[in-house]
Amino acid sequence: MTELKWWQKAVFYQIYPRSFADGNGDGIGDFAGMIAKLDYLQDLGVDALWLSPHFPSPQFDVGYDVADYVGVEPEYGTLDEFKRFLDGAHARGMRVVLDLVLNHTSDQHSWFKESRRSRTDPKRDWYVWRPAASGTDGPPNNWQSAFGGSAWELDPTTGEYYYHFFFKEQPDLNWRNPEVKQALWDATRFWLDLGVDGYRLDAIGTIYEAPEMPNHSVTEDLSAVRRTLSPYSGASEADRATARQIYENLFEHQHDRPEVHDLMKELRRVIDEYNDRVLIGETDDVTFYGTGDDELHLNFNFPLINTNHLTPAWIRDNQTERLGLLPDGAWPCNTLGNHDRSRFLTQFGRNDPIQDAGLARVWLALMLTLKGTPFLYNGEEIGMTDWLLTDLADFRDNVGVWLAGRVAAETALSPAEIVHLAATNSRDRCRTPMQWTAGPNAGFSPEGVRTWLPVNPNAGDGVNVATQQADGHSLLSFYKRMLRFRRSTPALIAGDYEAMLPDHADVLAFVRRSAADAQACLVVLNISEKPQTLALGAVAEAATCLFSTGHVEGAVDTLADLALAPFEVYVGSVPA
Ligand code: GLC
């Protein structure tokens, strides 16, 4: 195969530690659980694991509020257990990347506790402190927090405001202070020294703010914007696009500052002190690739999923635009979801079990055949869907809690309607415990234990690992089969991308061709419940079927009139 880096060939799998597997029976996922599931992950056929934050944290934002960058959250285990997990993954041929939260710490981090003690504390300048706006007691400007309310919190001890892009429990670090850089680069090296294979960089665009801190000029309200953007809102694509633009304008001075690129180059140099590690940006901004080889290795193609209608036309346009934007040498990176978004079967499904079973296979095929590194999210391999909480007391995502409060204050909805609206916006919907069995607590925790978030009851209807492992036709079996197929098909990994059937409403077709591997694959995905007959003679006279949910593998198929079943996935080999 073409010489590629491991992270270009790998399929990544995101583990949300709190919800993956509960090893000690306290209702919370942990390293003991993760260690016990390493064989499962190896058998699934993924190549790399990304762990959402596992550091000590008050869990106000489920670990994205770090209280110590070089420790392990006691609820999850010990550093020794972490090492056993890492070694166990490596021994099974899987890499491990961690989540690096650079923008902010927890307000319980000792650095912040020191910083807030006095205006002259040596750690004062590690965070972003400002006096009240001149002549007032109010905040320095009108900036908002992405999680609601002012981005400024008055700290009574010293009478100054500190800045927080996210919750007030997540004060922003001052990256213009060299001591901050040093401390975070030390933490970065700590885990690299232990052997981790790289980092996913949390909210990386939010590191710097405009130094002159001008007011934004947006009048629309954030909670309304958030509600429009929810996949449940029923808003049109046009309204969504408008809401996204308002969001952009609202935060225009608070993210994606040019200075961040020098910082990313510096971080890249830290990473490059080590052999073959990777940096993955939680951003869709392609400027984070730098020249293609001097900033982040991968940045997510989120625009692909910024829609409720993942149609062939949307995907084709996305690919043309995205691949066109990437600098030379940059490698694409695709995902259909993560711990912040709706589960893709909910967002892109059709609310029909038969159709969704077909669609789930099509979406995996999309991830494994598009050009770029795919990221999967734990639970998607068994078809997990969003679970909407019905009791505010069960909410763990404080974004949902905040929204419930806003909706209650602003609307005349009934309590049940308020909870429903908040639940559709709360990220709890996609963070429920992994469903391992059809038994009590879906086998995540022992019977009788109260899990940290309720378990989705569809675990009892076949949406669980044990049931699907025993069924050769299950979604899980399909994931295993297709992951193995991708691994052994170089054109799907290294090949370039050429779109076919540019106007087809229901079918996505493209060719992945790798001259170096002397292999070309025609990929055809029927994203519809209708059978199709396709004129693909322009690609080649015939294809040898390599992988399909409708055709016989190994048979030769004439391409002038290729017939596809509803939701069929077809990959055929054509002359290179
Ligand atoms: C990222 C994380 C999200 C978190 C936020 C603040 O967007 O993915 O879960 O709440 O950053 O750290």
Side-chain angles (χ1 to χ4, degrees):
M1 192 192 291
T2 319
E3 253 332 292
L4 291 175
K5 297 285 193 188
W6 67 267
W7 46 267
Q8 295 175 305
K9 294 186 274 194
V11 175
F12 281 72
Y13 180 97
Q14 179 189 358
I15 292 180
Y16 195 65
R18 212 168 176 78
S19 286
F20 191 60
D22 172 12
N24 67 354
D26 64 354
I28 296 171
D30 49 39
F31 277 108
M34 287 186 255
I35 291 167
K37 298 301 181 190
L38 283 170
D39 286 336
Y40 166 79
L41 294 166
Q42 182 186 27
D43 181 49
L44 177 61
V46 294
D47 308 290
L49 308 172
W50 151 34
L51 250 56
S52 280
H54 68 284
F55 314 100
S57 162
Q59 306 291 333
F60 195 84
D61 190 18
V62 199
Y64 286 94
D65 46 331
V66 178
D68 172 8
Y69 286 89
V70 294
V72 171
E73 163 60 42
E75 286 176 331
Y76 299 167
T78 62
L79 190 58
D80 270 348
E81 284 175 293
F82 171 82
K83 289 180 187 163
R84 277 179 41 218
F85 169 78
L86 181 64
D87 293 346
H90 284 164
R92 290 168 180 80
M94 293 180 289
R95 311 269 182 157
V96 175
V97 307
L98 301 181
D99 212 313
L100 194 56
V101 187
L102 297 176
N103 178 66
H104 48 270
T105 68
S106 161
D107 64 347
Q108 298 307 306
H109 196 296
S110 60
W111 300 337
F112 187 68
K113 288 185 182 167
E114 289 166 40
S115 183
R116 77 196 313 179
R117 274 195 310 224
S118 81
R119 292 192 190 193
T120 54
D121 190 277
K123 290 269 182 328
R124 186 65 168 181
D125 196 38
W126 281 44
Y127 293 84
V128 181
W129 292 97
R130 291 287 182 281
S134 75
T136 76
D137 293 335
N141 65 18
N142 69 355
W143 290 359
Q144 290 206 33
S145 149
F147 287 167
S150 171
W152 296 98
E153 181 69 11
L154 179 63
D155 197 40
T157 314
T158 56
E160 285 193 327
Y161 286 85
Y162 66 86
Y163 174 72
H164 55 94
F165 185 79
F166 297 100
F167 292 116
K168 67 176 170 27
E169 289 77 6
Q170 295 166 295
D172 271 46
L173 283 161
N174 174 17
W175 277 89
R176 300 184 195 276
N177 181 342
E179 291 176 20
V180 167
K181 274 193 209 174
Q182 192 54 52
L184 269 304
W185 295 166
D186 286 349
T188 303
R189 289 189 181 95
F190 174 84
W191 299 100
L192 294 172
D193 287 337
L194 286 181
V196 308
D197 298 287
Y199 291 103
R200 175 261 192 190
L201 301 173
D202 185 64
I204 197 62
T206 63
I207 293 252
Y208 291 107
E209 301 73 48
E212 58 286 5
M213 297 195 163
N215 283 329
H216 68 73
S217 47
V218 172
T219 50
E220 288 88 347
D221 178 72
L222 178 62
S223 78
V225 168
R226 278 205 178 281
R227 276 177 271 158
T228 303
L229 288 176
S230 155
Y232 295 82
S233 70
S236 67
E237 291 292 337
D239 286 349
R240 275 175 215 286
T242 308
R244 262 193 296 278
Q245 191 55 52
I246 296 171
Y247 190 91
E248 263 312 293
N249 299 344
L250 191 54
F251 296 110
E252 82 177 297
H253 305 301
Q254 295 168 257
H255 71 99
D256 291 345
R257 301 281 313 160
E259 308 81 300
V260 76
H261 296 293
D262 287 334
L263 189 74
M264 292 302 98
K265 290 191 177 78
E266 199 175 318
L267 176 57
R268 177 64 178 261
R269 288 194 291 273
V270 172
I271 285 279
D272 285 346
E273 292 165 14
Y274 299 79
N275 194 18
D276 223 11
R277 314 292 166 101
V278 69
L279 291 172
I280 306 141
E282 191 212 356
T283 174
D284 55 31
D285 182 347
V286 296
T287 63
F288 280 85
Y289 283 107
T291 61
D293 197 29
D294 63 349
E295 291 190 35
L296 310 185
H297 301 88
L298 298 171
N299 297 295
F300 289 105
N301 175 15
F302 289 132
L304 178 66
I305 50 175
N306 286 341
T307 176
N308 269 1
H309 305 285
L310 203 47
T311 61
W314 178 274
I315 301 166
R316 278 191 297 266
D317 289 352
N318 168 268
Q319 288 300 296
T320 307
E321 188 181 340
R322 187 79 186 169
L323 296 174
L325 284 173
L326 296 190
D328 279 354
W331 193 257
C333 177
N334 299 301
T335 189
L336 289 177
N338 58 38
H339 65 291
D340 291 330
R341 293 178 170 255
S342 259
R343 287 206 172 258
F344 68 70
L345 261 191
T346 303
Q347 186 174 350
F348 306 126
R350 299 192 177 176
N351 229 341
D352 171 300
I354 307 275
Q355 295 202 30
D356 286 355
L359 273 173
R361 287 159 175 81
V362 169
W363 299 142
L364 176 69
L366 179 70
M367 283 299 99
L368 299 192
T369 59
L370 280 182
K371 186 173 168 60
T373 299
F375 273 66
L376 313 181
Y377 176 48
N378 61 198
E380 67 168 80
E381 71 272 30
I382 50 171
M384 281 180 68
T385 49
D386 282 5
W387 176 241
L388 299 184
L389 301 174
T390 50
D391 184 347
L392 208 48
D394 286 334
F395 278 47
R396 294 293 172 270
D397 176 16
N398 281 304
V399 173
V401 175
W402 165 74
L403 214 101
R406 287 295 304 266
V407 174
E410 290 162 9
T411 68
L413 294 179
S414 72
E417 288 168 328
I418 292 170
V419 173
H420 178 75
L421 192 55
T424 59
N425 283 274
S426 164
R427 297 170 298 174
D428 289 331
R429 65 193 178 197
C430 65
R431 297 175 174 178
T432 56
M434 179 74 182
Q435 297 163 200
W436 294 101
T437 71
N441 277 332
F444 171 78
S445 293
E447 184 167 12
V449 170
R450 189 183 157 89
T451 55
W452 82 283
L453 270 178
V455 170
N456 188 330
N458 70 6
D461 302 328
V463 186
N464 71 77
V465 171
T467 303
Q468 296 196 22
Q469 253 165 351
D471 172 4
H473 299 290
S474 66
L475 183 60
L476 179 59
S477 297
F478 181 79
Y479 263 71
K480 289 190 201 177
R481 186 162 87 83
M482 192 156 199
L483 282 160
R484 278 163 184 70
F485 168 64
R486 181 184 195 269
R487 238 184 219 166
S488 60
T489 311
L492 293 183
I493 299 169
D496 51 22
Y497 165 93
E498 190 188 348
M500 297 290 154
L501 303 179
D503 301 314
H504 206 293
D506 296 324
V507 173
L508 181 74
F510 52 89
V511 174
R512 302 286 316 278
R513 181 176 283 106
S514 170
D517 299 294
Q519 190 184 53
C521 287
L522 167 67
V523 177
V524 194
L525 306 178
N526 182 5
I527 312 182
S528 88
E529 71 290 3
K530 292 174 272 182
Q532 309 282 345
T533 303
L534 304 166
L536 282 160
V539 177
E541 218 170 279
T544 304
C545 179
L546 297 178
F547 183 97
S548 168
T549 54
H551 280 69
V552 178
E553 289 162 17
V556 175
D557 302 303
T558 308
L559 292 182
D561 55 355
L562 185 70
L564 249 58
F567 301 110
E568 180 167 347
V569 171
Y570 180 93
V571 184
S573 151
V574 292

